[in-house]
Amino acid sequence: MGGVFTDKIIVQRLTPFRWMGISSTEEDHQIYDNARVFVTLCECIKKLKEFHKTANPPPFHPNQLQPCYFPYPSSFSENDTTFHFQYLKSLEDHPLCVTYLAEITSQDSTTDAGVKVVVKFVTRYGREVHEFLA
């Protein structure tokens, strides 16, 4: 499991729970599978440490919304135009909120800066439904 403290404590399962005990003599596949997970985790920890050596976090500004409280994506493309946006607030007062109010800050071509958009993160996407609701 992994945890992070923002304005609340968030803990999520990163992998399924894994059985580590040996309950029979024919569990080589399970031992090798667990070993692969541990090797992968070790490599990821090394990469994460390297990332944090060179990471340049944004400065902290008191009484302002901090980027660490919002998801990482901050742009989208439509009709070969890339729009960049800044999160303004969560639209729900719940730790599982996946919907945010954002504002367009810049665009590749004409100016739409200042336009408000809603950003929602989903696990499944249906283009036709999305276009109908839009």
Side-chain angles (χ1 to χ4, degrees), residues 17-23 27 30 34:
F17 289 107
R18 307 185 71 75
W19 175 252
M20 296 300 204
I22 297 176
S23 58
E27 293 196 22
Q30 180 178 322
N34 287 338

Side-chain angles (χ1 to χ4, degrees), residues 57-69:
F60 179 78
H61 300 289
N63 302 318
Q64 290 185 8
L65 296 171
Q66 303 302 314
C68 64
Y69 296 128

Side-chain angles (χ1 to χ4, degrees), residues 3-109:
V4 64
F5 179 73
T6 59
D7 60 332
K8 57 193 160 285
I9 296 174
I10 301 169
V11 178
Q12 292 183 334
R13 185 175 59 200
L14 301 176
T15 65
F17 289 107
R18 307 185 71 75
W19 175 252
M20 296 300 204
I22 297 176
S23 58
S24 85
T25 57
E26 297 184 24
E27 293 196 22
D28 291 349
H29 68 281
Q30 180 178 322
I31 293 170
Y32 290 124
D33 187 48
N34 287 338
R36 281 193 295 272
V37 169
F38 285 127
V39 168
T40 302
L41 285 172
C42 185
E43 291 172 4
C44 291
I45 289 170
K46 288 177 188 174
K47 288 181 180 181
L48 188 60
K49 285 181 179 178
E50 287 301 313
F51 170 79
H52 282 288
K53 285 180 184 176
T54 60
N56 188 15
F60 179 78
H61 300 289
N63 302 318
Q64 290 185 8
L65 296 171
Q66 303 302 314
C68 64
Y69 296 128
F70 298 102
Y72 177 70
S74 60
S75 65
F76 66 93
S77 295
E78 183 178 88
N79 300 328
D80 296 325
T81 301
T82 300
F83 297 84
H84 300 275
F85 60 87
Q86 175 180 329
Y87 294 98
L88 300 176
K89 67 178 184 173
S90 298
L91 291 180
E92 300 173 50
D93 189 23
H94 191 275
L96 298 177
C97 175
V98 295
T99 310
Y100 301 88
L101 178 63
E103 183 176 55
I104 303 292
T105 56
S106 67
Q107 176 184 339
D108 289 347
S109 58

